[in-house]
Amino acid sequence: MTLTNPEEFVASMNAPGDHLHQRMGLEILEASAERVVGRMPVKGNTQPHGLLHGGASCVLAETLGSTGAALHAGPGRIAVGIEINATHHRSATSGHVTAVATRVHGGRTLATYVIEITDDAGRAVCTARLTCMLRDAG
């Protein structure tokens, strides 16, 4: 998806649909090129033991970081994740997890975000880092 207007971009990310982040119930609460905040329910995103799936945390992190990178890239450009790493600190079994993606580097061809995911009590669940390649759309 290319960026036309930041508000329309975020609205399209939050609209019902069949993209992975939508199927997981992810919602973007705030978005700018510098900082993106979102949340996701634990229910429906667990592994067989009832714990939040580590891959779900990575989807949340990549979605928020990529959104920030796309906003940083600007109109006519796209952001493509090229590297993600995640450290899982504790499990979550209910409620929601909330993530804050903060830009640590914003260049012409790369953007990097640190994403901190917390549970409803504000405890660290996961810390991730995402780097996106920025390129012209099309």
Side-chain angles (χ1 to χ4, degrees):
M1 169 186 320
T2 60
L3 177 68
T4 53
N5 158 321
E7 292 80 20
E8 288 176 9
F9 182 79
V10 171
S12 71
M13 293 290 288
N14 283 336
D18 200 31
H19 297 288
L20 179 59
H21 71 278
Q22 295 159 323
R23 296 174 93 192
M24 295 178 70
L26 195 154
E27 177 185 12
I28 296 175
L29 305 173
E30 168 190 329
S32 70
E34 296 79 25
R35 183 174 187 263
V36 182
V37 180
R39 72 183 214 145
M40 177 180 71
V42 173
K43 184 177 181 180
N45 294 312
T46 59
Q47 40 95 314
H49 303 292
L51 308 174
L52 179 66
H53 196 292
S57 293
C58 289
V59 169
L60 176 58
E62 183 149 357
T63 300
L64 297 188
S66 293
T67 296
L71 292 171
H72 170 74
R77 305 198 74 215
I78 62 170
V80 180
I82 60 171
E83 190 270 339
I84 187 167
N85 69 53
T87 300
H88 305 287
H89 307 295
R90 71 169 13 94
S91 61
T93 58
S94 64
H96 286 79
V97 288
T98 300
V100 178
T102 305
R103 186 177 65 199
V104 294
H105 171 76
R108 190 181 68 75
T109 58
L110 291 177
T112 301
Y113 289 76
V114 168
I115 304 96
E116 297 175 325
I117 302 173
T118 58
D119 63 14
D120 286 333
R123 298 174 300 189
V125 171
C126 177
T127 303
R129 187 186 72 234
L130 173 73
T131 299
C132 291
M133 177 178 60
L134 311 176
R135 53 176 240 192
D136 294 337

